[in-house]
Amino acid sequence: MKQTLTILGLESSCDDTAAAVVRHTPGQKAEILASVVEGQDALHAEFGGVVPEIAARAHAEKLDLCVERALLESALTLTDMDAISVTAGPGLIGGVLSGVMCAKGLSAGSGVPLIGVNHLAGHALTPRLTDGVTYPYLMLLASGGHCQFLLVRGANDFTRIGGTIDDAPGEAFDKTARILGLPQPGGPAVEREAAGANPEAFSLPRPLLDRPGCDMSFSGLKTAVLRTRDRLIADHDGLPREERRDLCASFQAAVGDVLAEKSRRALIGYLAQKPPFPIFAVAGGVAANRTIRSALETVASELEVNFCAPPLALCTDNAAMIAWAGLEKFRAGHRDDLTLSARPRWPLDTASPAMLGFGKKGAKA
Ligand code: KG4
Ligand code: ZN
């Protein structure tokens, strides 16, 4: 097989339409030759969440344009690609279908091989794209749609060692923002409000910390925020700005405590396997939160594990990660054909029991 591989990636499983071109030669750092992401925030803003039909239609309209732009930016053509890699699940089925159909059309028209990849594998393998980290490493994926700890041993070898049993933490941030009258996306808005406020002002629950293991729960936390807000409004005849800031800080501290303690437990389990170069990697929008990120970094450094946080644009949904995941599969000899199907649910780790539920951004897998 050729040493240097150039892969086109397509992503459309949630509310970002994306195309990217990634090139890699073994022993060298991977290059992202182009990465185009078209978000849909404005289309869904008035509905307070992603509307699957609107998302699917927008993906179908934008995918080929994103591919065109990515090829233009990379100064390459479709036939320069060694493979076309597309998210084939999990996610909102209409969006995933749009991507798979587009990729099949491109593959059939150009003769370039097709590869279907798991969106979560894209996130989980990103530290290899950005930092060339070696297996096995521990990954915490914490976003609006996902929340899980993964032990990553290979491009197709993942063990989920815990995850949310209800909401993802980003969802809890978004709902908290809505409850407190702050704009969407809620994470950055809550973080801004919390800056300099008192994280101990309100005592909010730390769900599932009293139970062993690495599973998490965030939906009760949002209910506690709602109750506290109602009490404050009743006491003050409105929600005073200072109280709202303290409530944001207290909420953020609770999410941070849960993620940090569960990360500590996950890391202890990982270290027991004596990895030669221990690495704790994070991805997802929630990992952008400075308070949470520094809590996770502290846990890693206490346990003498290297911490890896890819740049934010590659932590959130993008197609470079899909191109990379496809590249690893292609190198391992994997090929798909026009029978590739879109899968709304597709757990990375089929040996662990399935997590229940769909988040506002699709299947939690
Ligand atoms: O990874 P992402 O862009 O998309 C998926 O959910 O797949 O994550 C978006 C989520 C949103 O729920 C957003 O509120 C949250 O990540 N988020 C944050 C921050 N920035 C984004 N949460 C907390 N603090 C932030 N600074
Ligand atoms: Zn994602």
Side-chain angles (χ1 to χ4, degrees):
M1 184 187 300
K2 269 170 67 183
Q3 286 283 302
T4 300
L5 293 178
T6 310
I7 309 284
L8 172 69
L10 269 68
E11 157 62 34
S12 57
S13 64
C14 184
D15 59 348
D16 290 302
T17 315
V21 178
V22 168
R23 177 170 281 170
H24 181 244
T25 307
Q28 294 181 18
K29 197 174 176 332
E31 276 178 280
I32 299 174
L33 302 180
S35 180
V36 176
V37 181
E38 280 271 350
Q40 302 179 351
D41 282 354
L43 292 179
H44 305 287
E46 66 178 290
F47 305 103
V50 178
V51 183
E53 288 73 17
I54 295 177
R57 197 172 290 268
H59 286 307
E61 281 168 11
K62 289 277 169 66
L63 268 163
D64 54 342
L65 300 174
C66 288
V67 169
E68 210 170 14
R69 265 175 59 202
L71 290 174
L72 202 69
E73 276 177 29
S74 64
L76 294 170
T77 64
L78 205 48
T79 48
D80 293 321
M81 301 299 132
D82 292 296
I84 298 166
S85 172
V86 61
T87 301
L92 299 171
I93 188 64
V96 179
L97 264 173
S98 300
V100 168
M101 295 310 289
C102 177
K104 281 184 183 177
L106 293 171
S107 171
S110 63
V112 175
L114 176 70
I115 298 188
V117 311
N118 184 309
H119 175 86
L120 300 170
H123 281 300
L125 297 174
T126 299
R128 289 178 51 77
L129 163 68
T130 56
D131 295 79
V133 305
T134 49
Y135 300 122
Y137 56 92
L138 181 73
M139 153 71 64
L140 167 62
L141 184 52
S143 70
H146 329 290
C147 184
Q148 50 188 296
F149 288 106
L150 290 165
L151 190 53
V152 188
R153 285 202 206 82
N156 198 22
D157 186 352
F158 304 93
T159 306
R160 185 168 52 67
I161 53 177
T164 183
I165 58 166
D166 43 50
D167 288 355
E171 242 175 316
F173 267 96
D174 294 340
K175 287 175 181 168
T176 291
R178 220 165 288 134
I179 289 168
L180 299 179
L182 295 167
Q184 297 293 314
V190 170
E191 183 175 16
R192 266 193 310 276
E193 282 288 292
N198 178 9
E200 286 165 12
F202 299 98
S203 125
L204 298 175
R206 268 67 176 157
L208 298 192
L209 272 201
D210 54 341
R211 283 203 227 151
C214 300
D215 281 344
M216 292 164 279
S217 159
F218 294 101
S219 77
L221 198 47
K222 142 209 96 192
T223 313
V225 170
L226 180 64
R227 286 216 193 90
T228 310
R229 178 206 68 177
D230 289 347
R231 185 169 53 74
L232 286 169
I233 290 177
D235 289 353
H236 297 274
D237 222 9
L239 185 59
R241 178 78 205 274
E242 279 312 302
E243 304 279 9
R244 183 168 80 174
R245 294 185 56 231
D246 286 347
L247 188 47
C248 284
S250 302
F251 164 80
Q252 186 173 269
V255 176
D257 283 356
V258 171
L259 287 173
E261 171 56 20
K262 296 289 176 168
S263 297
R264 199 179 60 78
R265 293 181 197 175
L267 278 166
I268 289 170
Y270 163 63
L271 288 171
Q273 302 187 9
K274 307 217 177 315
F277 305 104
I279 290 172
F280 180 36
V282 295
V286 177
N289 184 290
R290 275 176 291 267
T291 306
I292 293 175
R293 186 183 284 229
S294 89
L296 298 176
E297 242 177 315
T298 303
V299 172
S301 91
E302 280 167 8
L303 293 170
E304 295 178 7
V305 173
N306 281 319
F307 185 73
C308 172
L312 189 59
L314 296 171
C315 274
T316 55
D317 287 352
N318 67 88
M321 69 179 190
I322 302 304
W324 175 262
L327 191 146
E328 292 222 28
K329 276 181 103 169
F330 188 82
R331 206 159 250 147
H334 182 97
R335 305 287 182 275
D336 283 301
D337 57 28
L338 297 183
T339 61
L340 174 69
S341 51
R343 300 173 62 175
R345 283 181 187 267
W346 183 1
L348 266 185
D349 170 4
T350 42
S352 299
M355 300 300 278
L356 295 175
F358 270 70
K360 79 179 159 61
K361 292 184 163 188
K364 291 216 167 65

